[in-house]
Amino acid sequence: MGLDLEYLYRTFLLALGGLPVTLGICVATLSLSLPLGFLLALVGMYRVRVLGALASLYVSFARGTPIVLQILVVYSLLPSLANAIAVNAGWNIDVFALNPAWYAIIVFTFNTTAVLAEIMRSALLTVDKGQLEAALASGLSVWQAYRRIIVPQALLVALPNLCNATINLIKGTSLAFLMAVRDVTAIAKIEAARAYDYVESYLAIFVIYLIVCGITQMLFSTVERRLGIYRAPAVSF
Amino acid sequence: MLRIHGLHKSFHHNKVLRGVDLDVEKGDVVAIIGPSGAGKTTLLRCVNFLERADRGDMYFDGTHLDMHRASTRDMLAIRRRTAFVFQNFNLFSNKTALENVTEGLITGRGIPPRQAEDIARRALDKVGLSNRLDYYPAKLSGGQQQRVGIARAIAVDPEVILFDEPTSALDPELIEDVLGIMRTLAHEGTTMVVVTHEIGFASDVASQVIFMDEGLVVESGPPRQVLAAPAEDRTRQFLRRILPATNLVV
Amino acid sequence: MDRPFKPAYIVEALPRLLAYLPLTLGVALATVVAGSILGLALAKAKLGRSRVMRGLADAYTWTLRCTPSIVLLFLVYYGLPAFAKAVFSVDISLWHRAFFVVLTFTLFFGATMSELMRSAYLSVDRGQREAALSHGLSEFQAFRRIVLPQAAVSALPNVATSVVALLKEGSLAYTIGLVDLMGQGTLIIARRYGAWALETYLAAALIYWALTVTLEKIAKRLERHLSRGRRSLA
Ligand SMILES: Nc1ncnc2c1ncn2[C@@H]1O[C@H](COP(=O)(O)OP(=O)(O)OP(=O)(O)O)[C@@H](O)[C@H]1O
Ligand SMILES: [Mg+2]
């Protein structure tokens, strides 16, 4: 059929312009979701009563519904809600002029926090209780024990799943165009419709996502190797 | 120096400790023996607040503490004056041998890192591991791990060290290494409370032997009394089961 | 808000969306079947002796893992007809959109399944197969009667997770115009010129939620049922 390679290359460069937006949303989302997810994991583990029930309801909903629906719900709710609040409070801001990337960050944080909470909960459970006891017996406070002993060990166990979650997040941001965010996919989509050249446009961003996700995986495995020096050599099958 | 009075602890409806007293003087080596399930481990864990007692009083150098009500601060204070050696070592798996020892010094007690490292080196030297400072627990044998566990305990210069069956997870040929170190500590006047099944060690080293069964102290006294001439039937039965007949005379 | 939130419209939308549930489920089921076959082929390649096949299968899995669903969906939907026309001179651009959806998600699901099958197979202790062989079972019997049941149990939780993920990702089919549950939702909204969008989306979300929770429950049951005779370490 003959691919228009030159056009493909031009779209590739064009879509690369959306990479800062894509990555920015991912980084902002992760910086919010990691601490929130960790807190949620603790709430789930220590069975804080009402809060625990609410937390598990939230996790179930966020993990049990399509992200595209979460995007559509938030995007049809949040702008007008925020506007109503702003008007009522008498703030003089135009909510509708807000960068839509903020909405994207909110949706993806909503979604990713639930995923990370699950990951960290199961990772924390893999740490032997004796580690906490030994830390306490050594005179560390509970907070110190978590910070210096438990969390570092849990984090290492969680790394492969965190890598998965990060990759899913990167891929998920390809839906940000639904909120009028100009990320990698949105640019390709606009370009495809303009030039009536769908295949090349999507091939171009296909390559971009491969590169970005590939680099992400490499980063994670480097970190895992560096942090995992204390582990016994892996038992091979 | 350390006195426990009327310690009670149950798990659900299982009354594991039913009023235990413990009296440890400075320099004492108290050996606690007794059948499985007697509550020995639970006793030690309550003393270090790894379990919260249902009832009981602690007198540590005259200061009194209600063991059921102890606050987080109280517990931390006691833990910083004591040390615990675990049956299954519980070395911090993400820390090297040296870091395992310095952790409690630097993070727990705020000792400057340089000084803490000196202390840790000396402690590890004492247990014969100065050539394993940078090893992670996964690369150490069980005996080596327990020696790090002991170094971790002595490094903080505790007023009393609690040992919970420190040799029972070890291969027979490694047990003597660890017991040897504990003997040395005893001779140096370290105050220790040791739960153990090593009757030989108890009779050599202990200043006081406590026999526990079903959550109570059945009999206590110097080893030549409790081990060689027990007054209670239950003690005799236990010793007969655990020792070959010929060794009964200590 | 410029207009009140009316929960009644959620209730109103539910039956109209549920009418399209069979199509959504049908697409998912077809994908699971086709994807499992692809997954099996890939898993065989990964466990096989040929280094080339292993490399290809691994590269395929890795690539699909890094591809956003929407990108592959668009590539298949726009690219395949162009390809078919150029190479085979057939026009498939008017084929039912469900075909392109099933094909796209089969490619994804096959990649996921191949990984699950591979690790499930490897999780079964080698001694199990050897014991079966020395008991007089043939290689195929040993696989079929001893290895497979154990591998299936160990894979089940992850398979359930993957099917849930498939259902959720499948909701993107509306972007190429498939009128399934989600597509019907967007149609309802479009017919009302965007009114009651929030309520309609929430209705769809509730249906998906119920669906995934049910699926997870079933998987839990099945797992308990299948893992009789196994004691876990924990
Ligand atoms: N965390 C717990 N939850 C419930 N029951 C417990 C717990 N810890 C101990 N027990 C119970 O308390 C009883 C005493 O246990 P403990 O570990 O103190 O005995 P022990 O004298 O140390 O025995 P062993 O010689 O086998 O170590 C046992 O019946 C045990 O089942
Ligand atoms: Mg015990």
Coordinates of all heavy atoms in Angstrom, one line a residue, chain A residues 129, chain B residues 11-12 14-17 34-43 45 51 87 164-165 195 197 212, ligand 1:
Chain A
K129 N 6.8 -9.9 59.8 CA 6.4 -9.1 61.0 C 7.7 -9.0 61.9 O 7.8 -8.0 62.6 CB 5.3 -9.8 61.7 CG 4.6 -8.9 62.7 CD 3.2 -9.4 63.0 CE 2.6 -8.6 64.1 NZ 2.8 -9.3 65.4
Chain B
F11 N -4.5 -14.6 74.6 CA -4.9 -14.4 73.2 C -6.3 -14.9 73.1 O -6.5 -16.1 73.2 CB -3.9 -15.1 72.3 CG -2.5 -14.6 72.3 CD1 -1.5 -15.3 73.0 CD2 -2.2 -13.4 71.7 CE1 -0.2 -14.8 73.0 CE2 -0.9 -12.9 71.8 CZ 0.1 -13.6 72.4
H12 N -7.2 -14.1 72.7 CA -8.6 -14.4 72.7 C -9.0 -15.0 74.0 O -8.9 -14.4 75.0 CB -8.9 -15.4 71.5 CG -8.4 -14.8 70.2 ND1 -9.0 -13.7 69.6 CD2 -7.3 -15.1 69.4 CE1 -8.3 -13.3 68.5 NE2 -7.3 -14.2 68.4
N14 N -7.5 -17.8 75.2 CA -6.3 -18.6 75.6 C -5.5 -17.9 76.6 O -4.8 -17.0 76.2 CB -5.6 -19.0 74.3 CG -4.4 -19.9 74.7 OD1 -4.3 -20.4 75.8 ND2 -3.6 -20.1 73.7
K15 N -5.6 -18.3 77.9 CA -4.8 -17.6 78.9 C -3.4 -18.1 78.9 O -3.1 -19.2 79.4 CB -5.4 -17.9 80.3 CG -6.7 -17.2 80.5 CD -7.1 -17.2 81.9 CE -8.4 -16.4 82.1 NZ -9.5 -17.1 82.7
V16 N -2.5 -17.3 78.3 CA -1.1 -17.8 78.1 C -0.2 -17.5 79.3 O 0.6 -18.3 79.6 CB -0.6 -17.1 76.8 CG1 0.9 -17.5 76.6 CG2 -1.4 -17.6 75.6
L17 N -0.4 -16.3 79.9 CA 0.4 -16.0 81.1 C -0.7 -15.7 82.2 O -1.6 -14.9 82.0 CB 1.2 -14.8 80.9 CG 2.4 -14.9 79.9 CD1 3.1 -13.6 79.7 CD2 3.3 -16.1 80.2
G34 N 11.1 -24.7 80.1 CA 9.7 -25.2 80.2 C 9.2 -25.7 78.9 O 9.8 -25.5 77.8
P35 N 8.1 -26.5 78.9 CA 7.6 -27.2 77.7 C 7.1 -26.2 76.7 O 6.8 -25.0 77.0 CB 6.5 -28.1 78.2 CG 6.1 -27.5 79.5 CD 7.3 -26.9 80.1
S36 N 7.0 -26.7 75.5 CA 6.4 -25.8 74.4 C 5.0 -25.3 74.8 O 4.2 -26.1 75.3 CB 6.4 -26.6 73.1 OG 5.9 -25.8 72.1
G37 N 4.8 -24.1 74.5 CA 3.4 -23.5 74.8 C 3.3 -23.0 76.2 O 2.2 -22.6 76.6
A38 N 4.4 -23.1 77.0 CA 4.3 -22.7 78.4 C 4.1 -21.2 78.5 O 3.7 -20.7 79.5 CB 5.6 -23.1 79.1
G39 N 4.5 -20.4 77.5 CA 4.4 -19.0 77.6 C 5.7 -18.2 77.7 O 5.7 -17.0 78.0
K40 N 6.8 -18.9 77.5 CA 8.1 -18.3 77.7 C 8.3 -17.2 76.7 O 8.7 -16.1 77.1 CB 9.2 -19.4 77.5 CG 9.0 -20.7 78.3 CD 10.1 -21.7 78.0 CE 10.1 -22.2 76.6 NZ 9.0 -23.1 76.2
T41 N 8.1 -17.5 75.4 CA 8.3 -16.4 74.4 C 7.4 -15.2 74.7 O 7.8 -14.1 74.7 CB 7.9 -17.0 73.0 OG1 8.8 -18.0 72.7 CG2 8.1 -15.9 71.9
T42 N 6.1 -15.5 75.0 CA 5.2 -14.5 75.3 C 5.6 -13.6 76.5 O 5.5 -12.4 76.4 CB 3.8 -15.1 75.6 OG1 3.4 -16.0 74.6 CG2 2.7 -14.0 75.8
L43 N 6.2 -14.2 77.5 CA 6.8 -13.5 78.6 C 7.8 -12.5 78.2 O 7.7 -11.3 78.5 CB 7.4 -14.4 79.7 CG 8.2 -13.8 80.8 CD1 7.4 -12.9 81.6 CD2 8.8 -14.9 81.7
R45 N 8.3 -11.3 75.2 CA 7.8 -10.3 74.3 C 7.0 -9.2 75.1 O 7.0 -8.1 74.7 CB 6.9 -11.0 73.2 CG 7.7 -11.8 72.2 CD 6.8 -12.7 71.4 NE 5.9 -11.9 70.6 CZ 6.2 -11.3 69.4 NH1 7.3 -11.4 68.9 NH2 5.3 -10.6 68.8
E51 N 4.4 -7.5 72.7 CA 3.0 -7.8 73.0 C 2.6 -6.9 74.2 O 3.4 -6.6 75.0 CB 2.7 -9.3 73.5 CG 3.2 -10.4 72.6 CD 2.3 -10.5 71.3 OE1 1.3 -9.8 71.2 OE2 2.7 -11.3 70.5
Q87 N 14.6 -15.7 68.1 CA 14.8 -17.1 67.7 C 15.2 -17.3 66.2 O 16.1 -18.0 65.9 CB 13.5 -17.9 68.0 CG 13.6 -19.4 67.8 CD 12.4 -20.1 68.2 OE1 11.5 -19.5 68.8 NE2 12.4 -21.4 68.0
D164 N 15.4 -15.1 73.1 CA 14.4 -16.1 72.9 C 14.9 -17.3 72.1 O 15.0 -17.2 70.9 CB 13.2 -15.5 72.3 CG 12.0 -16.5 72.2 OD1 12.1 -17.5 72.9 OD2 11.1 -16.3 71.4
E165 N 15.3 -18.4 72.8 CA 15.8 -19.6 72.2 C 16.8 -19.2 71.0 O 16.5 -19.5 69.9 CB 14.7 -20.4 71.6 CG 13.7 -20.9 72.7 CD 12.8 -22.0 72.2 OE1 13.3 -22.8 71.4 OE2 11.7 -22.0 72.7
V195 N 15.6 -17.6 77.3 CA 14.7 -18.7 77.2 C 15.5 -19.8 76.4 O 16.0 -19.4 75.3 CB 13.4 -18.4 76.4 CG1 12.6 -19.6 76.1 CG2 12.6 -17.4 77.2
H197 N 16.4 -24.2 75.6 CA 16.3 -25.7 75.8 C 17.6 -26.3 76.1 O 17.7 -27.5 76.2 CB 15.6 -26.3 74.6 CG 14.1 -26.0 74.5 ND1 13.2 -26.4 75.5 CD2 13.4 -25.3 73.6 CE1 12.0 -25.9 75.2 NE2 12.1 -25.2 74.0
M212 N 8.8 -22.8 83.8 CA 7.5 -22.4 83.5 C 6.6 -23.5 82.9 O 7.1 -24.3 82.1 CB 7.5 -21.2 82.5 CG 7.7 -19.8 83.1 SD 7.7 -18.6 81.9 CE 5.9 -18.5 81.6
Ligands
LIG1 N1 0.2 -14.0 68.6 C1 -0.5 -15.1 69.1 N2 -1.8 -15.2 68.9 C2 -2.5 -16.3 69.4 N3 -1.9 -17.2 70.2 C3 -0.6 -17.1 70.5 C4 0.2 -16.0 70.0 N4 1.4 -16.1 70.4 C5 1.4 -17.2 71.2 N5 0.2 -17.8 71.3 C6 -0.2 -19.0 72.1 O1 0.3 -18.8 73.4 C7 0.8 -20.0 73.9 C8 2.2 -19.8 74.5 O2 3.1 -19.5 73.4 P1 4.6 -19.1 73.6 O3 5.2 -18.9 72.2 O4 4.8 -18.1 74.6 O5 5.1 -20.5 74.1 P2 6.6 -21.0 74.4 O6 6.7 -21.3 75.8 O7 7.6 -19.9 73.9 O8 6.8 -22.3 73.5 P3 8.0 -22.8 72.6 O9 8.9 -23.5 73.5 O10 7.3 -23.7 71.6 O11 8.6 -21.6 71.9 C9 0.7 -21.0 72.8 O12 -0.4 -21.8 73.1 C10 0.5 -20.2 71.6 O13 -0.3 -20.9 70.7

